[in-house]
Amino acid sequence: MARKLEQLRNIGIIAHIDAGKTTVTERMLYYSGASHRMGEVDKGTTITDFDPEEQQRGITIRAACVTFPWRDCTVNLIDTPGHVDFTAEVERSLRVLDGGVVVFSAREGADFDGTFNEIRERLEAKPVAIQVPAGAGPPHVQDAFRGVIDLVEMQYLTFDQEKLGAEVQRRPIPADLHDLADLWRGELIEKLFEFSNEIAELFLEKSPVPADLIRRVLREATLHRLIVPVLCGSALDHVGIQPLLDAVTYYLPSPSDKPPVEGVNPKKRDLREIRKPNVDEPFCSLVFKIDADQHGDLCYVRVYSGELKANSRVLNPGKDKKENVPQLWHIQADRREQVSSVAAGDIVGIIGLRHSVTGDTLCDPQHPILLETIEFPDTVISMAIEPETSTERKKLADVLEMMKRQDPTFRAQENEETGQTLISGMGELHLEVIKHRLLRDFNLDVRVHKPRVSYRETVERAADVVGACHRQQGGQSLFAEVSIRIEPYPQGSAGAVVVPARGDALPEPYLSTVIDGLTEQGHGGGLLGCPLMRVKITVLGGN
C-alpha cells in the first residue's frame, strides 16, 4: 500500500445538538479541497446531511463518512448526530474511530474561559489550551472575535473573510494581546512540565521552548489520554478551521498508535486473540453500520488488520458463516467509488454480505477471531402502525425488516392480542423520522396512532412473600405454595433475574415451572402491569 498507517486519521465530530458539527465538517471539506462549494446547514446544501429529512430539519440524523486530504495525511471523518434520539449512531461510530473532535458551543457571549473551566469541572477532563480567542463578541460589537492566538508558535492568526477564511494570515501578536498570550502560554508550559524534563529545564533557564518540542510532548500526552488539547474558532464565520485540521494531524492518533484489537477464538472462548494494526496481520474487521435499501445492504466496515480484496471470502465467526465480498466501496457521504482492495486502518463499504449485521466480526477464515459486539439501549417509546389495505401489509413487513437491519435501536413487532404492528424507538423524533421514511421513501399507505411510552417498574427494597402457583405443564396440573424473595438488583440489565436458592428449594418439575412463571410475570407483572427491570427474584422454597 502506498499510504502509510502513520498518515491516516480516523476521527469523529462529536457534540450536542446545534453546536456546529456539520458546519465544522463542511468547512474542513472545503478548505482541504475535497469540495468546491461551501454548503450551509440552514440552506440544506451540506455534503454530509444529504437525506431529505436532515435537509428539512437542519439536523444530522444518520452518521455520514467522508474522506479528505490534509497536509501529508488522509482523514476519514464521521459526522455524527447530536440529538439524543440518535445516540446509537454516535456510539457505533465511536467504536471504530481512533480519535475525536468534540465541539463545545460557548453559548451566547462566547465565553471561552467559562467553557474551558466546564470541560475540566463537569467532564473531569484535563484541558490544555493551545489557542485562545482574540476578542469574544459578535462582529458588530467593539470587542469582536477577530482571530486566535496560537500559543505553540506564539503568533496571531486571522482569516481573510473576503476569501471565506481560505487564507490564514500569521502575524506577531498585537501589543494589546501580549498579557493575555503570556498568561495562557505560561499555563501551557506549566502543564507540560510533568510530561517533559526537557521543557521544564528550558523554562527554568528562561530559554525559549521550541514549538516542535511542545507539539511532540502534546502529542505523547494526548495519545496517553493525559490531556485534552483545546482550540477555539467559529466555523460559521470561517475562523479557526485550518489550525484545527493541523491539530488533528499533530495530536490525534493514527491506527498505528492504537493498541492491538482484542477478541476471542470463536471455538475456544477462553482463548484470547489479538490483531496488530498492520497489513501483514491476518484480516480482521467489524461491521459498525448498515445502510439498507431495496437494492441491497451497504455494510460499513472498519478494517483493523490485514488486507481485504474484492471477490474474496471472509468468515463471520459470530454466526459461523462464510461471506462473499463481491464489491468494496470507498464512501463519500452519499457518493461511492469502487475499489479493488482495502487494508488495515481503512473504513470501507461492502455490498453483497448476506448474513452480517451491525456489531458482527468479519475475519480471515484461516485465522478466526471474534471481537466484542456493539450493545445498544432498549427502546423507550412505541406507536401503532397499520396498513390501509391487505396488499400493503406484506410490503410494510418487508420494509420494517429492512429498517431494523439499518437501525439497531428500532423495533417492530406484531401485538398478538390486538393484531396491531407496534414500532418502537428512542424518542418521539426518532419515530417521526421513521414514519416520514415509510410515507416518503417507500410510498406506504399506512395509519399511525399516538406514541405509547414503554414504562418499566422496579422495587425499592427487599421483601419476602408467599404465593400460590398454579400451572398446566405437559398435560399435568401443577400446584404449589411458593416462598420468594424479591429485591433490587442494580447489576442486572433490563428484565427480572429469577434464581433458585441454594439447596433443594423445590423438587423438579415444580422448580422449573415456578421459574418459568416468575420469568413470564417479570415481562409485565409489576403493580401497573409494566415489565420489571433490575430486579432479582429468589425462589426460597415451597410445598
Side-chain angles (χ1 to χ4, degrees):
M1 299 291 290
R3 172 184 52 73
K4 295 181 179 179
L5 270 181
E6 293 78 9
Q7 296 173 320
L8 183 61
R9 300 291 184 272
N10 291 319
I11 67 168
I13 305 291
I14 310 152
H16 58 77
I17 193 169
D18 288 336
K21 299 179 298 300
T22 301
T23 303
V24 169
T25 301
E26 197 67 24
R27 303 299 187 255
M28 286 180 167
L29 293 172
Y30 180 78
Y31 296 136
S32 68
S35 68
H36 301 291
R37 62 173 178 82
M38 194 176 290
E40 302 292 339
V41 173
D42 292 341
K43 297 178 181 178
T45 56
T46 62
I47 290 176
T48 53
D49 285 353
F50 53 86
D51 185 89
E53 193 85 19
E54 295 175 314
Q55 295 170 351
Q56 180 181 346
R57 294 179 181 274
I59 63 172
T60 300
I61 294 172
R62 299 159 65 185
C65 299
V66 288
T67 301
F68 57 88
W70 187 255
R71 308 299 187 207
D72 61 345
C73 289
T74 298
V75 180
N76 290 326
L77 181 148
I78 299 182
D79 179 26
T80 62
H83 197 285
V84 67
D85 281 17
F86 310 109
T87 301
E89 286 287 300
V90 183
E91 291 177 347
R92 62 181 172 184
S93 298
L94 293 183
R95 170 64 188 275
V96 300
L97 296 174
D98 301 321
V101 174
V102 184
V103 181
F104 293 95
S105 173
R107 302 177 311 280
E108 196 70 28
D111 182 3
F112 178 82
D113 288 17
T115 304
F116 184 86
N117 290 331
E118 284 186 351
I119 294 173
R120 181 180 63 245
E121 295 166 4
R122 298 181 64 177
L123 301 181
E124 298 182 356
K126 294 184 178 179
V128 174
I130 59 176
Q131 288 180 354
V132 289
H140 60 275
V141 303
Q142 183 176 0
D143 187 30
F145 177 48
R146 57 191 185 276
V148 300
I149 300 170
D150 182 345
L151 299 174
V152 177
E153 297 277 1
M154 287 301 279
Q155 292 180 331
Y156 178 53
L157 279 56
T158 56
F159 303 81
D160 191 337
Q161 293 302 307
E162 292 185 0
K163 297 181 179 180
L164 297 178
E167 185 175 305
V168 183
Q169 300 158 336
R170 292 179 171 269
R171 298 195 296 268
I173 298 173
D176 64 322
L177 297 174
H178 276 175
D179 290 345
L180 176 67
D182 290 342
L183 174 65
W184 283 95
R185 166 76 171 203
E187 289 194 11
L188 168 62
I189 298 300
E190 285 181 16
K191 288 181 178 178
L192 297 182
F193 274 4
E194 59 182 293
F195 311 121
S196 170
N197 292 332
E198 190 175 354
I199 287 182
E201 290 171 3
L202 289 172
F203 183 77
L204 293 174
E205 293 170 0
K206 296 186 178 180
S207 299
V209 182
D212 288 345
L213 174 60
I214 293 176
R215 277 195 284 266
R216 187 169 73 246
V217 176
L218 279 169
R219 176 174 178 77
E220 286 299 315
T222 302
L223 294 183
H224 288 89
R225 301 182 181 182
L226 300 174
I227 62 168
V228 179
V230 177
L231 298 90
C232 59
S234 172
L236 192 63
D237 298 319
H238 319 110
V239 174
I241 298 299
Q242 296 94 326
L244 173 59
L245 284 168
D246 288 340
V248 166
T249 62
Y250 287 146
Y251 309 121
L252 291 185
S254 70
S256 60
D257 294 312
K258 302 291 287 184
V261 65
E262 296 186 4
V264 297
N265 188 304
K267 301 296 185 183
K268 301 176 181 178
R269 295 298 180 99
D270 58 342
L271 182 61
R272 191 172 68 97
E273 299 276 354
I274 65 169
R275 296 290 183 269
K276 297 177 183 177
N278 192 307
V279 70
D280 297 324
E281 288 272 301
F283 169 71
C284 170
S285 69
L286 184 76
V287 179
F288 69 94
K289 176 179 166 67
I290 293 177
D291 273 349
D293 59 37
Q294 295 162 317
H295 306 293
D297 293 353
L298 173 67
C299 297
Y300 289 72
V301 173
R302 163 66 193 265
V303 182
Y304 286 105
S305 63
E307 186 176 9
L308 177 64
K309 296 181 179 180
N311 299 311
S312 60
R313 281 173 67 83
V314 296
L315 172 68
N316 182 326
K319 294 183 170 64
D320 194 23
K321 291 183 179 291
K322 297 283 185 67
E323 289 271 30
N324 291 320
V325 182
Q327 298 178 10
L328 297 173
W329 294 84
H330 169 245
I331 308 299
Q332 191 74 355
D334 60 339
R335 293 183 288 112
R336 306 172 186 174
E337 177 186 355
Q338 196 163 3
V339 294
S340 59
S341 66
V342 292
D346 283 330
I347 293 176
V348 65
I350 300 178
I351 292 180
L353 300 180
R354 300 186 57 177
H355 308 291
S356 301
V357 297
T358 298
D360 282 358
T361 303
L362 300 176
C363 64
D364 184 338
Q366 303 303 317
H367 300 86
I369 180 176
L370 180 61
L371 304 179
E372 183 182 357
T373 189
I374 306 174
E375 299 292 340
F376 296 99
D378 290 335
T379 57
V380 298
I381 194 169
S382 303
M383 68 180 179
I385 182 167
E386 296 180 85
E388 290 284 5
T389 64
S390 57
T391 55
E392 291 283 281
R393 184 172 297 278
K394 177 64 168 63
K395 184 179 178 182
L396 174 62
D398 293 341
V399 170
L400 292 178
E401 282 300 314
M402 184 187 68
M403 295 181 73
K404 283 161 63 177
R405 293 198 307 275
Q406 176 172 309
D407 185 351
T409 59
F410 171 66
R411 302 283 185 270
Q413 61 184 7
E414 186 172 312
N415 187 302
E416 296 180 358
E417 296 180 358
T418 65
Q420 288 182 319
T421 298
L422 296 179
I423 60 175
S424 305
M426 302 307 297
E428 290 194 46
L429 179 59
H430 188 197
L431 291 184
E432 190 175 332
V433 168
I434 289 170
K435 180 185 72 173
H436 287 175
R437 284 200 65 197
L438 294 173
L439 298 174
R440 182 192 66 233
D441 297 348
F442 302 104
N443 297 316
L444 285 168
D445 189 9
V446 294
R447 287 177 293 147
V448 296
H449 302 284
K450 290 183 178 181
R452 180 171 62 100
V453 176
S454 301
Y455 289 106
R456 298 291 187 269
E457 294 185 59
T458 189
V459 295
E460 185 177 7
R461 57 184 179 270
D464 292 355
V465 294
V466 177
C469 180
H470 190 186
R471 305 269 295 182
Q472 292 288 331
Q473 183 162 315
Q476 287 185 307
S477 180
L478 302 178
F479 177 83
E481 194 173 68
V482 182
S483 174
I484 65 171
R485 173 177 295 129
I486 185 168
E487 57 190 321
Y489 191 49
Q491 297 91 344
S493 57
V497 177
V498 183
V499 297
R502 291 183 179 178
D504 298 327
L506 277 173
E508 289 288 351
Y510 290 92
L511 180 59
S512 59
T513 303
V514 168
I515 290 178
D516 289 344
L518 290 172
T519 302
E520 182 181 305
Q521 285 296 306
H523 294 299
L527 292 176
L528 300 177
C530 301
L532 298 176
M533 67 178 295
R534 295 181 180 174
V535 167
K536 181 179 179 181
I537 303 173
T538 306
V539 181
L540 301 177
N543 53 62

